[in-house]
């Protein structure tokens, strides 16, 4: 079983904190992903905090009436699988390859024209160009 942290969400662009008005769950309750956990009040909105996981409520860290900063842990959920410690944040896989640009001497796709460094889209030549010209003349389908 893994222990996952539920954090105070940012409920608005300029919202920096929220107050737990009412818990809708108790320790030991089973919740599904997206089930409401608590009612949170901010200076702009009152909203429900949804569960990010399916599992059993392990601990309510914040009390009703507590005002917490966005990102503060409000409760923990025990989920199936994994260890008993909070899960680490995902890290990119190590492939042993660097992100590299193609070599300067690689062959350019034929039938395309464009200017190096141009922000203009590349336009096809030949029959594709005529087809695109005809279809754009009649508008979107």
């Amino acid at each position: 079983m893994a222990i996952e942290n539920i954090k105070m969400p940012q409920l608005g662009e300029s919202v920096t904190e929220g107050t737990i008005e009412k818990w809708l769950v108790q320790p030991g309750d089973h919740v599904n992903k997206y089930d409401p956990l608590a009612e949170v009040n901010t200076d702009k909105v009152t909203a429900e905090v949804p569960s990010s996981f399916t599992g059993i409520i392990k601990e309510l860290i914040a009390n009703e009436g507590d005002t917490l900063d966005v990102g503060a842990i409000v409760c923990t959920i025990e989920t199936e699988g994994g260890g008993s410690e909070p899960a680490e944040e995902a890290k990119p896989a190590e492939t042993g390859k660097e992100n590299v640009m193609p070599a300067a001497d690689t062959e350019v796709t034929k039938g395309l024209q464009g200017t190096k460094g141009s922000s203009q889209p590349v336009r096809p030549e030949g029959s594709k160009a005529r087809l695109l010209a005809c279809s754009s003349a009649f508008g979107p389908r």
Side-chain angles (χ1 to χ4, degrees), residues 6 30-37 49-56 77 79:
I6 301 295
H30 182 273
V31 294
N32 292 314
K33 190 172 183 176
Y34 307 118
D35 283 353
L37 301 176
V49 175
S51 175
S52 303
F53 308 96
T54 296
I56 297 171
I77 296 179
T79 62

Side-chain angles (χ1 to χ4, degrees), residues 124-138:
E125 296 176 343
S127 61
K128 280 191 174 186
R130 288 189 295 277
L131 178 62
L132 289 174
C134 290
S135 64
S136 63
F138 294 107

Side-chain angles (χ1 to χ4, degrees), residues 7-21 38-50 68-71 74:
K7 297 178 181 179
M8 176 67 73
Q10 184 166 8
L11 299 170
E13 190 173 316
S14 62
V15 175
T16 60
E17 62 185 17
T19 302
I20 303 287
E21 290 296 320
E39 291 179 1
V40 174
N41 188 21
T42 70
D43 59 341
K44 296 185 182 231
V45 69
T46 298
E48 293 178 340
V49 175
L68 304 165
D69 290 335
V70 168
V74 295

